[in-house]
Amino acid sequence: MGHSKIKRLAVFLALVFLFPAQAAAVREVVPIGHTAGIRMKSEGVLVVRLDTVQTADGERCPARDAGVREGDIIVSAGGTEVSSNAELQSALKAAQGGAVELSIKRGDETHSVQITACTDQTGVYRLGILARDSMAGIGTLTFADPQTGVFGSLGHGICDAETGVLLPLSEGDLIYSTVETVTRGKSGAPGALQGDFSDARPIGTVTKNTVHGIFGTLSDLSLLSGQGALPVAARDEIQTGDAEIIANIDGDKVQRYSVQIVRLYPENDEYGRGMMLHVTDKTLLAQTGGILQGMSGSPVVQNGRLIGAVTHVLVDDPASGYAICIDDMLREAESVA
């Protein structure tokens, strides 16, 4: 979704199954709609920004000089795999100012560069990069298979906010969350859910971060208690008209809210949209202004079937947004080990 047009229209609701169509129409999963804390560690170190380093001899940026770019993922340094800033720093320190070979992923390609770190005014070795190796935030669980515990959430991938690069996942986990406060959305300023999640109650592991959402396995099935499974709709069964979203906007209460599906998009839509929806529920509009960041993943239900998950909010109209079709998420969930 890196196109400028879609950026003007909508924002990702960020964290502040290879089925044929006929199989998806009869598959049943449990829609959830409860928020969860999400923590992920990167596979490699993501270069978010190139910065200059103040040295005794003036400003330098070894990374830029070596051809490193913003959005690159450093996967090894000096022949040793790195998955954190601390591991990268250790490799630079071990080289003691000598040249270090970095292995870098850039899109689908891997490159090797030779780089010599400089020392800043405190004597620390620097490459001249701002790097990211982890993230944490809140999102909404979309569904789970009651037999296997396999879940899907968000409906879009977790990307670095500055580079737009999909965070390469090393490991991740889900933490039980409650909604503490709500920042109401308004035109030009999408609102957000603020969640509280504690290390005391992990509820699952995240094993995939894809453009269609995050996926993994629940270890605690308590969020499914009392929730009935629903059949999932094939794309061609989704209609414009009345529907509901299932969302958690207050404490740990999960409720259904009325929406209208106002437009359907073709399967090959360039932005990955499945449908456009508009919130009609007066209670939800009064409390939130519509769709909020953190509601990403909220299940969309129509005619007793799970049809998709909320993914975006329109910046200029927080009562409206986009959703992904559920079969896109099910394709990814099918391969969760």
Side-chain angles (χ1 to χ4, degrees):
M1 299 273 183
H3 303 275
S4 60
K5 180 179 178 182
I6 198 69
K7 285 185 178 179
R8 290 196 301 268
L9 292 176
V11 293
F12 284 115
L13 303 186
L15 312 171
V16 160
F17 306 35
L18 196 53
F19 290 151
Q22 62 269 28
V26 296
R27 175 80 185 247
E28 290 193 347
V29 294
V30 177
I32 301 176
H34 200 289
T35 58
I38 302 168
R39 299 185 305 190
M40 288 175 48
K41 291 184 179 179
S42 173
E43 184 179 20
V45 176
L46 176 65
V47 179
V48 175
R49 190 171 67 241
L50 300 179
D51 282 333
T52 55
V53 181
Q54 296 292 337
T55 74
D57 299 319
E59 294 184 344
R60 290 189 55 199
C61 183
R64 181 181 290 111
D65 295 340
V68 176
R69 302 177 187 174
E70 294 177 356
D72 285 349
I73 300 167
I74 301 171
V75 294
S76 71
T80 302
E81 291 186 358
V82 295
S83 59
S84 69
N85 288 324
E87 291 175 352
L88 177 59
Q89 186 62 40
S90 293
L92 298 180
K93 186 175 181 181
Q96 290 293 303
V100 177
E101 183 179 17
L102 300 183
S103 181
I104 291 173
K105 286 185 65 177
R106 182 177 297 159
D108 295 329
E109 299 179 350
T110 300
H111 303 267
S112 293
V113 299
Q114 294 287 329
I115 192 167
T116 302
C118 61
T119 54
D120 63 16
Q121 294 176 334
T122 65
V124 176
Y125 289 103
R126 303 289 187 190
L127 296 180
I129 63 173
L130 173 65
R132 181 163 293 132
D133 59 12
S134 62
M135 62 72 58
I138 186 174
T140 298
L141 292 169
T142 306
F143 67 85
D145 184 326
Q147 304 301 318
T148 64
V150 170
F151 74 84
S153 179
L154 297 185
H156 62 70
I158 295 178
C159 300
D160 175 70
E162 295 190 51
T163 64
V165 172
L166 192 71
L167 191 70
L169 175 65
S170 171
E171 59 184 63
D173 54 7
L174 291 180
I175 307 297
Y176 182 81
S177 170
T178 57
V179 176
E180 296 298 304
T181 59
V182 171
T183 300
R184 197 172 184 277
K186 58 183 179 180
S187 179
L193 300 176
Q194 281 79 47
D196 177 54
F197 54 96
S198 167
D199 290 351
R201 191 175 170 186
I203 59 174
T205 56
V206 182
T207 56
K208 293 181 68 177
N209 179 29
T210 79
V211 294
H212 295 130
I214 63 169
F215 303 88
T217 305
L218 295 177
S219 55
D220 179 348
L221 299 181
S222 61
L223 292 181
L224 308 188
S225 178
Q227 302 292 325
L230 292 180
V232 297
R235 184 182 292 266
D236 60 8
E237 295 176 310
I238 303 170
Q239 304 170 348
T240 56
D242 293 341
E244 294 178 306
I245 61 172
I246 304 175
N248 171 203
I249 62 169
D250 181 18
D252 61 359
K253 294 186 296 185
V254 175
Q255 294 180 270
R256 294 193 177 208
Y257 300 97
S258 59
V259 299
Q260 282 277 314
I261 307 299
V262 297
R263 182 175 177 182
L264 301 175
Y265 294 90
E267 187 170 2
N268 60 351
D269 177 70
E270 64 177 318
Y271 301 122
R273 298 167 297 186
M275 66 199 84
M276 179 185 286
L277 55 85
H278 182 78
V279 176
T280 56
D281 193 285
K282 293 181 179 180
T283 299
L284 184 59
L285 290 170
Q287 290 183 288
T288 68
I291 300 169
L292 303 177
Q293 298 184 68
M295 287 172 63
S296 179
S298 295
V300 186
V301 175
Q302 185 180 62
N303 298 325
R305 294 178 182 270
L306 178 62
I307 66 171
V310 175
T311 56
H312 303 69
V313 59
L314 293 183
V315 174
D316 294 332
D317 179 13
S320 299
Y322 298 122
I324 188 175
C325 292
I326 195 63
D327 53 4
D328 289 332
M329 296 184 71
L330 294 177
R331 278 191 285 269
E332 300 286 0
E334 178 72 359
S335 60
V336 172

